[in-house]
Amino acid sequence: MNEIELVNQFAAARGLRLKGDLTRVSAREILLPLLILDVAYGYIRQLRPDDFRFQARRSAKRIHEAYNNINGWFFAGLKDQLEDAAIDLMDQLEESVKLDILVTETAVWNIMKFWPEPTCTRLVASYMTYLLAAGASVAWEHIFRSSEGYVTKNKATLTIQAEAKRLAGTMMAGGDSDAPERRVKELRDAEAVLGRKLVMWTRQTDET
């Protein structure tokens, strides 16, 4: 099953109306925000609510609830064949940007490494979750429209984005969060490359 067949059956299962001719590129674009969140899940798993207290625990819990909400929406009603095809695409995307994810994560580590463990690891996971959720939100707004043609926002991706930022802020409260300008530039450059690679993936539709 290729991307076109997957999106057609996904749209039928979720009651979505496709506009225009569907190509493998446009099909990948439709799936991109959901696939980006799958990459983010590797970091979300590191933000276990039981590892936090008070406001931080609430933020972590909301992140997991929002992720489960959109992931459940994506897979609900899909047959096993569809699930297998979607998981295969998720693996393809993750493999294609693996190096860029590592570069970005390393740039985040270089900024957060002055924090003691386990806070440092959790800050890195929070920032990567925030960054990927932001990318998923942008991709969603670019692709999904209302029946009247208006831009739509996805509440789940926005919640993940906001709560990941709030969680990081809670963990950093009272500390020195200033980072060297050089490290910040390295992170911004890595983010830009990762964003381009995520978009480029939608264009890589050869069968090889």
Side-chain angles (χ1 to χ4, degrees), residues 88-103:
D88 183 58
L89 274 182
M90 290 173 177
D91 291 343
Q92 287 181 37
L93 173 61
E94 193 160 2
E95 182 63 29
S96 72
V97 297
K98 183 166 60 177
L99 178 59
D100 304 288
I101 289 285
L102 178 60
V103 170

Side-chain angles (χ1 to χ4, degrees), residues 6 9-11 13-14 31 34-35 37-39 41 67-91:
L6 174 59
Q9 293 192 40
F10 167 67
R14 304 314 303 156
L31 295 169
L34 303 162
L35 302 183
L37 282 182
D38 181 69
V39 178
Y41 184 60
Y67 176 83
N68 290 336
N69 178 273
I70 189 171
N71 195 56
W73 176 83
F74 179 42
F75 282 106
L78 302 189
K79 298 177 182 178
D80 290 343
Q81 186 183 17
L82 276 176
E83 290 194 12
D84 291 343
I87 291 170
D88 183 58
L89 274 182
M90 290 173 177
D91 291 343

Side-chain angles (χ1 to χ4, degrees), residues 144-201:
F144 289 87
R145 296 288 188 272
S146 69
S147 57
E148 294 81 20
Y150 297 117
V151 171
T152 64
K153 298 180 183 293
N154 187 281
K155 184 178 179 180
T157 61
L158 293 173
T159 296
I160 294 170
Q161 184 180 344
E163 293 297 342
K165 183 176 182 180
R166 184 173 291 113
L167 177 59
T170 301
M171 287 188 286
M172 297 172 75
D176 182 7
S177 59
D178 289 339
E181 185 176 339
R182 177 173 62 87
R183 296 298 191 193
V184 174
K185 183 180 184 305
E186 289 172 357
L187 175 57
R188 295 293 177 255
D189 291 344
E191 290 173 355
V193 171
L194 176 59
R196 288 196 297 271
K197 289 293 183 67
L198 288 168
V199 173
M200 286 170 57
W201 175 82

